[in-house]
Amino acid sequence: GAGVSQSPRYKVAKRGQDVALRCDPISGHVSLFWYQQALGQGPEFLTYFQNEAQLDKSGLPSDRFFAERPEGSVSTLKIQRTQQEDSAVYLCASRLTELNTEAFFGQGTRLTVV
Amino acid sequence: AQSVTQPDIHITVSEGASLELRCNYSYGATPYLFWYVQSPGQGLQLLLKYFSGDTLVQGIKGFEAEFKRSQSSFNLRKPSVHWSDAAEYFCAGGPRSNTGKLIFGQGTTLQVKP
């Protein structure tokens, strides 16, 4: 596609509910990143994929957060048993190769846990 | 610990006036440095980046930034601000080993007065 696409754009979840957020990177992009942006804050790194391999998950805040990219293209960020502190915008970014320097960001998914 | 700091949370300038947004970084080694802009409901758009070489870098939309190693700064400037520049601006730094794993500042909200 023309850019990084994320869906849904908005998600309201009841506390305790599981959610799945989808990211479609730019076609052919090898690297994929997830970030969490709390209200009024800068984005914070969550996890990084190179193709289907999750090379860095150091930013995932708890074991309730899980990300996958099984075929090296689309990625899903799953949050189990959502809590109010999970409310944030979740941003996905992709990069063509490891040698490239620019990552392109999607518009994000705004998650509100009530 | 690695960090990126944007000292100014909110800045208001008059249209046509010059602009400087401050950014300071703390890294063990010189990181790659970026400036992004985010409009409401939008993803992050890259304005410019510094990797090496000339310490004055030019970006899109008439923006420039200067890397100053002695001051650990990477301030963003624009000689004449337009009303459409009103947005949130993020400075970010990334390790040379993985330019997609970024540490973002808290952001500076720019308001432009007519």
Side-chain angles (χ1 to χ4, degrees):
Chain A
V4 178
S5 178
Q6 293 187 244
S7 60
R9 288 292 313 279
Y10 303 92
K11 175 70 178 177
V12 178
K14 292 184 178 180
R15 190 168 52 184
Q17 188 177 2
D18 296 349
V19 298
L21 312 180
R22 177 187 170 103
C23 173
D24 281 272
I26 295 173
S27 179
H29 277 203
V30 167
S31 303
L32 185 144
F33 305 84
W34 283 98
Y35 284 82
Q36 179 189 57
Q37 185 176 18
L39 188 64
Q41 302 295 316
E44 291 190 357
F45 171 82
L46 292 177
T47 187
Y48 158 58
F49 290 86
Q50 183 178 330
N51 294 306
E52 69 279 3
Q54 189 175 19
L55 300 186
D56 188 337
K57 53 182 181 179
S58 61
L60 295 177
S62 78
D63 58 8
R64 295 186 297 104
F65 286 72
F66 172 76
E68 60 183 5
R69 194 186 184 199
E71 297 179 0
S73 179
V74 171
S75 177
T76 303
L77 177 66
K78 297 179 179 178
I79 309 174
Q80 298 177 323
R81 304 181 304 281
T82 53
Q83 301 176 5
Q84 283 193 316
E85 60 262 32
D86 299 335
S87 295
V89 175
Y90 291 84
L91 295 167
C92 176
S94 70
R95 184 179 66 192
L96 180 58
T97 72
E98 291 307 295
L99 299 179
N100 285 83
T101 53
E102 180 176 355
F104 295 85
F105 283 82
Q107 291 184 304
T109 294
R110 180 177 296 279
L111 172 65
T112 303
V113 181
V114 297
Chain B
Q2 299 169 342
S3 66
V4 173
T5 303
Q6 294 178 246
D8 305 306
I9 294 177
H10 191 278
I11 282 184
T12 301
V13 300
S14 297
E15 190 168 17
S18 64
L19 171 69
E20 182 170 29
L21 302 183
R22 295 184 291 163
C23 173
N24 294 97
Y25 68 90
S26 174
Y27 262 82
T30 301
Y32 289 145
L33 294 164
F34 305 80
W35 273 99
Y36 286 87
V37 61
Q38 186 177 40
S39 298
Q42 301 299 310
L44 296 163
Q45 181 183 21
L46 181 66
L47 287 175
L48 47 78
K49 57 192 177 186
Y50 171 76
F51 290 155
S52 64
D54 194 347
T55 57
L56 184 64
V57 294
Q58 302 296 322
I60 62 172
K61 303 184 180 185
F63 285 94
E64 67 177 26
E66 186 171 12
F67 171 67
K68 293 185 177 180
R69 185 189 304 274
S70 61
Q71 298 178 19
S72 297
S73 69
F74 187 57
N75 295 348
L76 182 71
R77 300 193 295 248
K78 187 170 184 177
S80 178
V81 169
H82 187 262
W83 65 266
S84 61
D85 293 325
E88 186 145 23
Y89 292 79
F90 291 96
C91 180
R96 291 177 176 262
S97 59
N98 186 352
T99 57
K101 185 177 180 180
L102 300 173
I103 295 176
F104 283 83
Q106 281 195 303
T108 298
T109 301
L110 173 65
Q111 183 178 2
V112 181
K113 294 190 301 185

